[in-house]
Amino acid sequence: MSLIVDIKKRLGDFHLDVSLETDGGVSGLLGASGGGKSMTLMCVAGIVKPDRGKIILNGTTLFDSECRINLPPQKRRVGYLFQNYALFPNMNVRQNILCGLHNEKNKAKKEDSLREIIELMQLNGLERRSPSQLSGGQQQRVALARILVGNPDLLMLDEPFSALDSHLRGQLRIETQRLLKRFGKDALLITHDRNEAYQLCNKIGLIDAGKLLVYKDAKQLFADPENRQAAILTGCKNVILAKKSGEYLVDVPAWGIQFTTSQPVRNDLCAIGVRAHYFDPETIQNRFRVRFTDEIESPFEYNVQFRYENQLDASQDIWWLIPKEKRTGQLPSELGVTSNNIMLLYR
């Protein structure tokens, strides 16, 4: 099971340039709104035609600009869950799902498939309801049932939880994770929520301004995002300009300190990243004096801001995240960060 996407598309001032290859499982495209995530999915689905490149699904060419191949959407065997679910409002649940079986001419097989998918998606008793009579979670399950009943080779989900409240979103993430495992084929998930991407995806690609910045294993991506924009997109609050000052040493002028690293530093280093929860008052490595400037309490943690002793006045405060159970007594006068938690960022 594999999907190869190597495409370019220009729309006015916007340039899409995406190249990735999946190897099974769930791949995520993470990035801010307007970055090109949905455009990528629409190109794969055949809704939008790229200017150049190719799209190959499990060895079948869906699009190839040089060979002039451009299969229509109905022949691509791609299931696409739109952000608003795109249910037909004048049809009930049963009728909406049957739309996914329009190619099945055998009535008995059609009914068997319908019954199986209704059972799988826990829609029993809702068959005669219209979309307006369903909750957001039920609407999503109907939309997924309509896609899955046609047995697509690729499932694509475009911001599947964006229209739901936070409680329902968390519940449906778990349900969707189970569903994707049962699906057993390639899936592409679009999201701007990094926690969502981390939980559901084996690999994640970061898209910014139409460009795929990096595509790698989800855990590796968060541990080593490779460049500044990728670090920011994965939620790193502390990204600062830095330069190489030794094989395992970086200089951070704005903070007035040097950090020892666990990885060799390349000459093209431009910045480092330190996630807010990496700082530790008990760590000996990269330990320096600090002074605290502000504190914001959240339900389960404290977001503390601090500055190093020789930090430049014009530089921004640094973020330290403390779980509430670890906050005891007075804040420390020094903080350390282990060398393997210094993320090296390149151009």
Coordinates of all heavy atoms in Angstrom, one line a residue, residues 122-163:
Q122 N -22.2 2.1 14.1 CA -23.2 2.3 15.2 C -24.3 3.3 14.8 O -24.5 4.2 15.6 CB -22.4 2.7 16.4 CG -21.3 1.7 16.9 CD -20.5 2.2 18.1 OE1 -20.7 3.3 18.6 NE2 -19.6 1.4 18.5
L123 N -24.9 3.1 13.7 CA -26.0 4.0 13.2 C -27.3 3.3 13.3 O -28.3 3.8 12.7 CB -25.7 4.4 11.8 CG -24.4 5.3 11.6 CD1 -24.1 5.5 10.2 CD2 -24.6 6.6 12.3
N124 N -27.4 2.1 14.0 CA -28.7 1.4 14.1 C -29.8 2.3 14.7 O -29.5 3.0 15.7 CB -28.5 0.2 14.9 CG -27.4 -0.7 14.4 OD1 -26.3 -0.5 14.7 ND2 -27.8 -1.8 13.7
G125 N -30.9 2.3 14.1 CA -32.1 3.1 14.5 C -32.1 4.5 14.0 O -33.1 5.3 14.2
L126 N -31.1 4.9 13.3 CA -31.0 6.3 12.7 C -31.3 6.3 11.2 O -31.2 7.4 10.6 CB -29.6 6.9 13.0 CG -29.2 7.0 14.5 CD1 -27.8 7.6 14.6 CD2 -30.2 7.8 15.3
E127 N -31.6 5.2 10.6 CA -31.6 5.0 9.2 C -32.6 6.0 8.5 O -32.4 6.5 7.4 CB -32.0 3.6 8.8 CG -31.0 2.6 9.1 CD -31.2 2.0 10.5 OE1 -31.9 2.6 11.3 OE2 -30.7 0.9 10.8
R128 N -33.7 6.4 9.2 CA -34.7 7.2 8.6 C -34.6 8.7 8.9 O -35.4 9.5 8.5 CB -36.1 6.7 9.0 CG -36.4 5.3 8.6 CD -36.4 5.1 7.1 NE -36.5 3.7 6.7 CZ -36.5 3.2 5.5 NH1 -36.3 4.1 4.5 NH2 -36.6 1.9 5.2
R129 N -33.6 9.0 9.7 CA -33.4 10.4 10.1 C -32.7 11.2 9.0 O -31.8 10.7 8.3 CB -32.6 10.5 11.4 CG -33.3 10.0 12.6 CD -32.6 10.3 13.9 NE -33.2 9.7 15.1 CZ -32.8 9.9 16.3 NH1 -31.7 10.7 16.5 NH2 -33.4 9.3 17.3
S130 N -33.0 12.5 8.9 CA -32.3 13.4 8.0 C -31.1 13.9 8.7 O -31.0 13.9 9.9 CB -33.3 14.5 7.6 OG -33.5 15.4 8.7
P131 N -30.1 14.4 7.9 CA -28.9 15.0 8.5 C -29.2 16.1 9.6 O -28.4 16.1 10.6 CB -28.2 15.6 7.3 CG -28.6 14.7 6.2 CD -30.0 14.4 6.4
S132 N -30.2 16.9 9.4 CA -30.5 17.9 10.4 C -31.0 17.4 11.7 O -31.0 18.1 12.7 CB -31.6 18.8 9.8 OG -32.8 18.1 9.6
Q133 N -31.4 16.1 11.7 CA -31.8 15.5 13.0 C -30.7 14.7 13.7 O -30.9 14.1 14.7 CB -33.0 14.5 12.7 CG -34.2 15.2 12.1 CD -35.3 14.2 11.7 OE1 -35.0 13.2 11.0 NE2 -36.5 14.3 12.2
L134 N -29.5 14.8 13.2 CA -28.4 14.1 13.8 C -27.4 15.1 14.5 O -27.3 16.3 14.2 CB -27.6 13.4 12.6 CG -28.3 12.4 11.8 CD1 -27.4 11.9 10.6 CD2 -28.9 11.2 12.6
S135 N -26.7 14.5 15.5 CA -25.7 15.3 16.1 C -24.4 15.4 15.2 O -24.4 14.7 14.2 CB -25.3 14.6 17.4 OG -24.6 13.4 17.2
G136 N -23.5 16.2 15.6 CA -22.3 16.4 14.8 C -21.5 15.1 14.6 O -21.0 14.7 13.5
G137 N -21.4 14.3 15.7 CA -20.7 13.0 15.7 C -21.5 12.0 14.8 O -20.8 11.3 14.1
Q138 N -22.8 12.0 14.9 CA -23.6 11.1 14.0 C -23.5 11.5 12.6 O -23.3 10.6 11.7 CB -25.1 11.1 14.5 CG -25.3 10.5 15.8 CD -26.7 10.8 16.4 OE1 -27.4 11.8 16.0 NE2 -27.1 10.0 17.3
Q139 N -23.4 12.8 12.3 CA -23.3 13.2 10.9 C -21.9 12.7 10.3 O -21.8 12.2 9.2 CB -23.3 14.7 10.8 CG -24.7 15.3 11.0 CD -24.8 16.8 10.8 OE1 -23.9 17.4 10.3 NE2 -25.8 17.4 11.4
Q140 N -20.9 12.8 11.2 CA -19.6 12.4 10.7 C -19.6 10.9 10.4 O -19.0 10.4 9.4 CB -18.5 12.7 11.8 CG -17.1 12.4 11.3 CD -16.1 12.3 12.4 OE1 -16.1 11.4 13.1 NE2 -15.3 13.4 12.5
R141 N -20.2 10.1 11.3 CA -20.2 8.7 11.1 C -21.0 8.3 9.8 O -20.7 7.3 9.1 CB -20.8 8.0 12.3 CG -19.9 8.0 13.5 CD -20.2 6.9 14.5 NE -21.6 6.9 15.1 CZ -21.9 7.6 16.1 NH1 -21.0 8.4 16.8 NH2 -23.2 7.6 16.6
V142 N -22.1 9.0 9.5 CA -22.8 8.8 8.3 C -22.0 9.1 7.1 O -21.9 8.3 6.1 CB -24.1 9.6 8.3 CG1 -24.8 9.5 6.9 CG2 -25.1 9.2 9.4
A143 N -21.2 10.2 7.1 CA -20.4 10.6 6.0 C -19.3 9.5 5.8 O -19.0 9.1 4.7 CB -19.8 11.9 6.3
L144 N -18.7 9.0 6.9 CA -17.7 8.0 6.8 C -18.3 6.7 6.3 O -17.6 6.0 5.5 CB -17.0 7.8 8.2 CG -16.0 8.8 8.6 CD1 -15.6 8.6 10.0 CD2 -14.7 8.7 7.7
A145 N -19.5 6.4 6.7 CA -20.1 5.1 6.3 C -20.4 5.2 4.8 O -20.1 4.2 4.1 CB -21.5 4.9 7.0
R146 N -20.8 6.3 4.3 CA -21.0 6.5 2.8 C -19.7 6.3 2.0 O -19.7 5.7 0.9 CB -21.6 7.9 2.5 CG -21.9 8.1 1.1 CD -22.6 9.5 0.9 NE -21.7 10.6 1.2 CZ -22.0 11.9 1.3 NH1 -23.3 12.2 1.0 NH2 -21.1 12.8 1.6
I147 N -18.6 6.7 2.6 CA -17.3 6.5 1.9 C -16.8 5.1 2.0 O -16.5 4.5 1.0 CB -16.2 7.5 2.6 CG1 -16.6 8.9 2.3 CG2 -14.8 7.1 2.1 CD1 -15.7 9.9 3.1
L148 N -16.8 4.5 3.3 CA -16.3 3.2 3.5 C -17.1 2.1 2.8 O -16.5 1.0 2.5 CB -16.2 2.9 5.0 CG -15.2 3.9 5.7 CD1 -15.2 3.6 7.2 CD2 -13.8 3.7 5.2
V149 N -18.4 2.3 2.6 CA -19.2 1.2 2.0 C -18.7 0.9 0.6 O -19.0 -0.2 0.1 CB -20.7 1.6 2.1 CG1 -21.0 2.6 1.1 CG2 -21.5 0.4 2.0
G150 N -18.1 1.9 0.0 CA -17.6 1.7 -1.4 C -16.2 1.1 -1.4 O -15.7 0.9 -2.5
N151 N -15.6 0.7 -0.3 CA -14.3 0.1 -0.2 C -13.2 0.8 -0.9 O -12.6 0.2 -1.8 CB -14.5 -1.4 -0.7 CG -13.2 -2.2 -0.3 OD1 -12.6 -1.9 0.7 ND2 -12.9 -3.2 -1.1
P152 N -13.0 2.0 -0.6 CA -11.9 2.8 -1.3 C -10.5 2.3 -1.0 O -10.3 1.6 0.0 CB -12.1 4.2 -0.8 CG -12.6 4.0 0.6 CD -13.5 2.8 0.5
D153 N -9.6 2.6 -1.9 CA -8.2 2.2 -1.6 C -7.4 3.2 -0.8 O -6.4 2.9 -0.2 CB -7.4 2.1 -3.0 CG -7.9 0.9 -3.8 OD1 -8.3 -0.1 -3.1 OD2 -7.9 0.9 -5.0
L154 N -8.0 4.4 -0.7 CA -7.4 5.5 0.1 C -8.5 6.3 0.8 O -9.5 6.6 0.1 CB -6.6 6.4 -0.8 CG -6.0 7.7 -0.2 CD1 -4.9 7.4 0.9 CD2 -5.4 8.6 -1.3
L155 N -8.3 6.5 2.0 CA -9.3 7.4 2.8 C -8.7 8.7 3.1 O -7.6 8.7 3.7 CB -9.7 6.6 4.1 CG -10.7 7.4 5.0 CD1 -12.0 7.7 4.3 CD2 -10.9 6.6 6.3
M156 N -9.3 9.8 2.8 CA -8.8 11.1 3.1 C -9.8 11.9 4.0 O -11.0 12.0 3.6 CB -8.5 11.9 1.8 CG -7.5 11.2 0.9 SD -6.9 12.2 -0.4 CE -8.4 12.7 -1.3
L157 N -9.3 12.4 5.1 CA -10.1 13.1 6.0 C -9.6 14.6 6.1 O -8.5 14.8 6.5 CB -10.0 12.5 7.4 CG -10.2 11.0 7.5 CD1 -10.0 10.4 8.9 CD2 -11.6 10.6 7.0
D158 N -10.5 15.5 5.8 CA -10.2 16.9 5.8 C -10.7 17.6 7.1 O -11.9 17.9 7.2 CB -10.7 17.6 4.6 CG -10.2 19.0 4.4 OD1 -9.6 19.6 5.3 OD2 -10.4 19.6 3.3
E159 N -9.9 17.9 8.1 CA -10.3 18.5 9.3 C -11.5 17.8 9.9 O -12.6 18.5 10.1 CB -10.5 20.0 9.1 CG -9.3 20.8 8.7 CD -8.4 21.2 9.8 OE1 -8.6 20.7 11.0 OE2 -7.4 21.9 9.6
P160 N -11.5 16.5 10.2 CA -12.8 15.8 10.5 C -13.4 16.2 11.8 O -14.6 15.9 12.1 CB -12.3 14.3 10.5 CG -10.8 14.4 10.8 CD -10.3 15.6 10.2
F161 N -12.7 16.9 12.7 CA -13.2 17.2 14.0 C -13.4 18.7 14.2 O -13.8 19.2 15.3 CB -12.3 16.7 15.1 CG -11.9 15.3 14.9 CD1 -10.6 15.0 14.6 CD2 -12.8 14.2 15.0 CE1 -10.2 13.7 14.3 CE2 -12.4 12.9 14.8 CZ -11.1 12.6 14.5
S162 N -13.2 19.5 13.2 CA -13.2 21.0 13.4 C -14.5 21.6 13.7 O -14.6 22.6 14.4 CB -12.6 21.7 12.1 OG -13.5 21.4 11.0
A163 N -15.6 20.9 13.3 CA -17.0 21.4 13.6 C -17.6 20.9 14.9 O -18.7 21.2 15.2 CB -17.9 21.0 12.4

